[in-house]
Every structure is written in structure tokens, then in C-alpha cells.
Amino acid sequence: MKKDIRSYSKEALRDYFVSQGQQSFRGNQVYEWLWKKNAHTFEEMTNLSKETRLFLEEHFSINHIAVDNIQRSTDGTVKNAVKLHDGLVVESVMIPTENRTTACVSSQVGCAMGCTFCATARLKKQRNLLPDEIYDQVAAISKESELLYGHKLTNIVFMGMGEPLLNYENVMKAIDKITSEEGLGMSPRRITLSTVGIPKMIKRMADDQVKFNLALSLHSAIDEVRSKMMPVNISNNLDELMDALQYWHQKTGNRITFEYVVWKGINDKQKDIDALVHYCKQVPAKVNLIEYNPIDDGAFEQASPIIIEQYVSELEKNGIIVNIRRSRGKDIDAACGQLANKS
Ligand code: SAH
């Protein structure tokens, strides 16, 4: 089988050309075509000789993703179904607001975390995405943004399918490329990684001195409640999680964003609010209250606006920043937790 040429670093490509008796700068040229110029074929690489192009063609493949199906929501949100080289499909979403465009990208095909309120969990985990498959989702949305809205992509959130911290190496490689001048040249400050909360991996990220933002899907600050909805909490409880978050804050100086949905009958009592306030006081954090996006079976229902207002006022009273996040792209199943390859 041909090897995917985009799994090579620039140095490896330079070495490869030298090993073939060619000059090392050919490696730089190919690298630029592959990443900055987003070439899909060797034929496009016009500053290489015909023989070199044919030679590369014989020995390598360029495994680009293919955006298969594009759906547009009435609110402007766009969902891409992305076909991978082995036929599997993931979804990514472009969310435009007045002066920015956010790409919501997937890190795995399916997901193993089993959160009971999330449609992606139903797919189970099929495989990790490769660095270039993650990068390509971002590059595709960046292109679409320029085409549709006339401006570049401004933000990236790892809130699509999958748990990014269980595909750590590949996600980090993709972010390196997204932020490098040879890739998309985006600032890491405009990237947010969202996780169910795996303490060991949060500490590792902190040790690796990453520069992007961290969002944590909290949904409850009471162990029994959280464990029922998010099985990950059974073996990684809230105390361990807090320990990792404090470590993250110490090492990076960044605060954490807690994502939180309020559900009827699940976390809509005063004791739930008190627990959240108490949890937030242990580390610099802000809270995004996100709207629940129903997935088929109707087992969960968003709490009433009165309860949500109670959350807001208690958090604010305690000096904690809180935002209410409207969901986008619901009509095309593109909102948080709805990505499940339905089409
Ligand atoms: N695995 C990562 C990223 C994917 S989910 C994580 O869990 O953070 C992105 C966000 O959508 C998470 O905060 C998740 O809890 C939330 N989410 C999942 N299902 C949802 C639903 N049905 N409605 C609203 N938010 C949901």
C-alpha cells in the first residue's frame, strides 16, 4: 500500500529526497504544496519535474478528506459530512456570527465515552482521526468561510465527534499544524479543546505547556449525578478532576470554561446550584450554560427558564462569570451533541 505522504514531517521529507539522491529543498517544496497550498494531487506541484511528480505518485498517496454532503441551517450554520479515505464519515460544523466564523471539528469517528445525553455516543468509537484528517476539516471550513462570508476562519472548537484527549497525539499534531505559519497560521488563543475531563490527560496538556483554551463538560458538580450521565466520572471523580484543573491553571495561567446543561429532574435543584458554585470557587473558571439539544428518545428535557435564571443569579452573586449559549444549527442536527451521521 502507498504511504500517506502527509504523515511525513518537513524534516522527514527533506531526508527522503536526499535518500533518493535529490536535493533536500525539494522536501520543502512538497511540504508547502501539501499544507500551505492544500494540493490534492502531485500533478499540481508544478515546480517539481514531471519525473519527480510521477515518482511521488507511484510511491505515495495524498489521503485528503472529501466533503461529501453540505447542509445549511436557517441560522447560517453549515454542517459538512466528511468522508475519510477508508469510507468512514465524520461531521464538522461551521458557525458564523456577525464578525466571526467558528469551526467545530471532530477528533474521532464515533465516541467511546458513553455520555447518555449525546447522540455521538450511540455510534461507539470506531477509530481515531489522523492529524491531517483533523487539519483538513479546519482547512475546508476556512475555505468555505472565505467563499460564503468573505472572511477567514476566526475560531476553532474541538466540540465535534469524539473525545480529543483520547486521541491526544494526533490532536496535538493537528493543532501544531493549524497554528504554524506553514499551515493556517492561527493563534492558539482562538482554539478551544473541550473534554469530558480525563485528569491524567489534563495534567499532561499542562505539562506540555499548550497555549489553547480548555473547556470542560461538567453538567453536574455532584458525583452521583454526574456519574449517571457521564460514565467517565465513575473512575475519574470530581475531586480528581479538580486537582487536574488546578494543576492546569497553575501551569498555564489560564482559566477554565465549564460547559453545563440544566435538565429537568436531573440537576435543577438548589443543591445542584450550590455544588456548582462551590466547585467553581476552587479554580478560576467561567460557566457556559448551554441549551439542551434533544436527541431522539426524549429521555432528557431542558429545565425551565426560571431555573436557568436561578443558576445565573447565584453564579453572578458569587462573582462567577456565566453566559447562556444559544444552540445553533438545530434544524440540521448540527448542534452540540447531535452529530451522529444521520444523513
Ligand atoms: N468529548 C468532548 C467534545 C464533544 S461534545 C466533550 O465532551 O467535551 C461538545 C459539547 O456538547 C460537550 O460539552 C457536551 O457535553 C455537549 N453535549 C453533548 N450532547 C449534548 C446535547 N444533546 N445537547 C447539548 N449539549 C450536548
Side-chain angles (χ1 to χ4, degrees):
M1 210 176 89
K2 293 187 199 174
K3 206 166 158 124
D4 180 13
I5 195 161
R6 293 196 308 161
S7 65
Y8 284 65
S9 66
K10 185 154 76 178
E11 290 61 45
L13 277 181
R14 288 167 60 94
D15 291 347
Y16 180 76
F17 276 95
V18 172
S19 77
Q20 295 299 314
Q22 296 213 38
Q23 285 169 294
S24 57
F25 79 92
R26 295 285 175 212
N28 299 1
Q29 288 178 320
V30 170
Y31 194 83
E32 192 178 16
W33 278 110
L34 291 174
W35 299 105
K36 194 151 205 140
K37 298 184 188 162
N38 202 24
H40 284 225
T41 62
F42 291 108
E43 220 179 290
E44 294 165 58
M45 304 182 180
T46 46
N47 54 1
L48 303 178
S49 71
K50 184 102 196 155
E51 294 81 75
T52 307
R53 279 183 265 161
L54 283 173
F55 177 82
L56 291 174
E57 178 81 58
E58 249 168 62
H59 292 84
F60 297 100
S61 61
I62 306 177
N63 292 344
H64 255 283
I65 61 164
V67 177
D68 221 26
N69 178 19
I70 302 180
Q71 282 176 278
R72 249 187 120 163
S73 156
T74 48
D75 69 16
T77 302
V78 173
K79 182 166 82 172
N80 291 340
V82 168
K83 201 167 188 180
L84 309 170
H85 66 92
D86 56 2
L88 291 173
V89 175
V90 290
E91 292 174 330
S92 32
V93 183
M94 171 167 73
I95 309 147
T97 53
E98 210 171 308
N99 41 23
R100 56 183 194 182
T101 304
T102 302
C104 174
V105 298
S106 295
S107 57
Q108 299 181 311
V109 188
C111 186
M113 300 320 298
C115 300
T116 51
F117 47 80
C118 179
T120 307
R122 314 264 161 94
L123 300 174
K124 303 287 187 309
K125 185 192 143 186
Q126 301 178 51
R127 72 166 170 87
N128 283 333
L129 291 185
L130 299 170
D132 53 277
E133 291 171 328
I134 298 169
Y135 177 88
D136 286 353
Q137 294 176 61
V138 178
I141 290 179
S142 186
K143 224 177 184 174
E144 283 173 344
S145 173
E146 286 187 46
L147 240 114
L148 284 173
Y149 310 110
H151 63 82
K152 284 213 170 79
L153 183 64
T154 54
N155 297 74
I156 302 171
V157 295
F158 282 84
M159 296 185 187
M161 293 174 161
E163 170 47 48
L165 293 190
L166 292 182
N167 184 16
Y168 187 77
E169 310 262 332
N170 291 352
V171 168
M172 294 306 134
K173 279 188 192 157
I175 292 178
D176 279 347
K177 194 83 82 193
I178 291 164
T179 52
S180 82
E181 276 312 318
E182 284 157 336
L184 294 169
M186 282 192 64
S187 162
R189 299 265 166 242
R190 296 184 169 277
I191 300 176
T192 301
L193 183 147
S194 176
T195 175
V196 292
I198 300 160
K200 185 174 82 196
M201 299 310 293
I202 292 172
K203 285 187 174 169
R204 170 144 178 223
M205 256 195 313
D207 286 333
D208 287 347
Q209 296 280 307
V210 302
K211 299 278 185 306
F212 49 78
N213 306 300
L214 178 62
L216 195 122
S217 302
L218 189 61
H219 303 310
S220 173
I222 300 174
D223 273 317
E224 305 82 81
V225 178
R226 191 167 191 263
S227 292
K228 262 193 212 151
M229 297 183 283
M230 303 178 70
V232 67
N233 195 73
I234 298 167
S235 46
N236 305 272
N237 67 26
L238 287 160
D239 281 344
E240 284 171 59
L241 187 56
M242 181 49 73
D243 180 55
L245 295 175
Q246 287 169 339
Y247 187 81
W248 160 272
H249 176 68
Q250 275 163 22
K251 288 261 169 166
T252 65
N254 287 335
R255 76 172 170 203
I256 292 118
T257 302
F258 288 128
E259 297 158 278
Y260 199 104
V261 177
V262 189
W263 286 286
K264 205 175 193 169
I266 292 177
N267 55 0
D268 58 353
K269 305 281 177 323
Q270 187 61 41
K271 69 174 190 335
D272 298 295
I273 302 178
D274 293 342
L276 178 61
V277 168
H278 176 71
Y279 204 68
C280 288
K281 281 187 169 170
Q282 299 174 56
V283 72
K286 68 167 184 175
V287 176
N288 281 347
L289 292 177
I290 50 185
E291 205 179 314
Y292 175 57
N293 303 304
I295 58 174
D296 292 335
D297 57 8
F300 287 87
E301 201 183 318
Q302 162 129 338
S304 74
I306 300 166
I307 310 281
I308 295 176
E309 269 318 309
Q310 265 169 12
Y311 262 95
V312 171
S313 80
E314 297 253 351
L315 286 163
E316 283 180 343
K317 212 162 65 193
N318 284 279
I320 299 154
I321 297 172
V322 51
N323 296 302
I324 298 183
R325 283 293 158 100
R326 277 279 158 74
S327 73
R328 303 279 308 266
K330 241 196 243 187
D331 55 337
I332 54 166
D333 284 328
C336 287
Q338 292 187 314
L339 301 182
N341 293 343
K342 265 205 223 161
S343 52

